[in-house]
Amino acid sequence: MKDTFKHKGLRQQLVNVLINKGINDDSVLKAIGKIPRHLFMDSGFLDHAYQDKAFPIGADQTISQPYTVAFQSELLNIKRGDKVLEIGTGSGYQTAVLCELGAKVYSIERQQELFKKTSKFLPKLGYRAKKLIFGDGYKGLPDEAPFDGVIVTAGAPFVPKPLLSQLKIGGRLVIPVGEDVQVMTLFIRKGQKEFEQEEFGEFRFVPLLEDKN
Ligand code: SAH
């Protein structure tokens, strides 16, 4: 688990790429500048770790593109101490970004293989989520609700109702919605039954799957 001077340099270049693509939240850029993304990837892809691209992480899943991670993190608008639920732990890279932003992170993953691997790996890097859960993200996490923020890191064919109902008033849900292509959508809870909704263009994610295998 090495993080060299060269990696740091490549990371700074990646931060510059994200700035050029329009990311301007300093705390998000700082997190991406700090987290050793190469350690979250299979060894075959190490050389590509600091390109702005998604890569396979096993179990037919991918580590999200850095731009997408930054964009979703920016939309969540996290303050230190916020309680945040992530759906789709995957490699844990987005989880690490949320930890760097000072969030208390709860993250759900439905693939056991990834859940086990990432549960071991994140603490080794010093990232301690409040809870990593093996389960179905469509249900959210009713025992720990309400949340200041909920982030979905897989393409959702529809917006799961529990994720909306588990938001605090003023809380934000960032979710890519659609089948083949997804529209990044932000919901802000304004009242018990009122939600403000805004759309932010198209992205491509692996699908949010319903049944466990
Ligand atoms: N945040 C991850 C992205 C991984 S890709 C990262 O930065 O690496 C999306 C992840 O969502 C995959 O790991 C996939 O297994 C998981 N997933 C798919 N459907 C799910 C569901 N219903 N509940 C929880 N996780 C799910």
Side-chain angles (χ1 to χ4, degrees):
M1 300 239 296
K2 264 203 242 159
D3 189 30
T4 64
F5 204 63
K6 182 180 157 216
H7 291 123
K8 290 188 180 110
L10 290 171
R11 223 153 39 231
Q12 198 47 50
Q13 284 175 25
L14 172 62
V15 167
N16 291 334
V17 167
L18 299 182
I19 292 171
N20 286 333
K21 289 186 177 178
I23 302 296
N24 56 32
D25 183 323
D26 271 343
S27 51
V28 171
L29 292 168
K30 218 169 135 195
I32 290 185
K34 187 167 166 194
I35 301 170
R37 185 174 188 252
H38 61 286
L39 300 180
F40 291 74
M41 296 173 43
D42 294 336
S43 53
F45 294 97
L46 287 187
D47 289 346
H48 305 292
Y50 295 105
Q51 293 179 9
D52 188 23
K53 287 185 184 156
F55 287 103
I57 52 172
D60 279 337
Q61 302 304 325
T62 58
I63 179 170
S64 298
Q65 185 181 344
Y67 175 73
T68 305
V69 172
F71 194 86
Q72 288 194 281
S73 302
E74 206 167 68
L75 283 182
L76 266 181
N77 206 9
I78 290 169
K79 297 180 297 303
R80 298 200 86 79
D82 276 359
K83 206 168 169 183
V84 175
L85 174 65
E86 175 188 29
I87 310 300
T89 317
S91 69
Y93 181 71
Q94 173 75 71
T95 318
V97 171
L98 297 171
C99 289
E100 284 287 350
L101 294 173
K104 293 181 191 129
V105 188
Y106 298 78
S107 184
I108 308 179
E109 171 58 54
R110 77 178 272 288
Q111 298 259 14
Q112 190 151 31
E113 180 192 331
L114 288 173
F115 165 75
K116 282 190 181 154
K117 189 169 158 194
T118 302
S119 301
K120 270 198 203 141
F121 170 70
L122 276 178
K124 281 191 198 154
L125 280 191
Y127 292 114
R128 287 175 206 287
K130 277 273 169 192
K131 248 186 213 173
L132 298 177
I133 300 112
F134 172 55
D136 180 9
Y138 274 93
K139 301 189 177 79
L141 200 60
D143 288 352
E144 300 289 349
F147 296 97
D148 297 289
V150 177
I151 173 172
V152 180
T153 70
F158 59 89
V159 181
K161 287 244 167 62
L163 302 187
L164 287 171
S165 67
Q166 290 173 24
L167 285 178
K168 287 184 191 170
I169 306 289
R172 299 157 84 92
L173 166 64
V174 177
I175 180 167
V177 187
E179 304 268 352
D180 298 333
V181 176
Q182 293 84 32
V183 175
M184 192 62 76
T185 311
L186 168 67
F187 291 87
I188 304 177
R189 187 167 203 172
K190 293 291 178 182
Q192 206 46 36
K193 288 189 177 157
E194 297 145 76
F195 294 87
E196 205 175 87
Q197 180 178 348
E198 208 178 327
E199 292 180 351
F200 293 88
E202 291 183 347
F203 289 77
R204 271 172 205 276
F205 285 80
V206 294
L208 189 67
L209 300 170
E210 231 159 329
D211 299 314
K212 265 184 234 174
N213 29 348

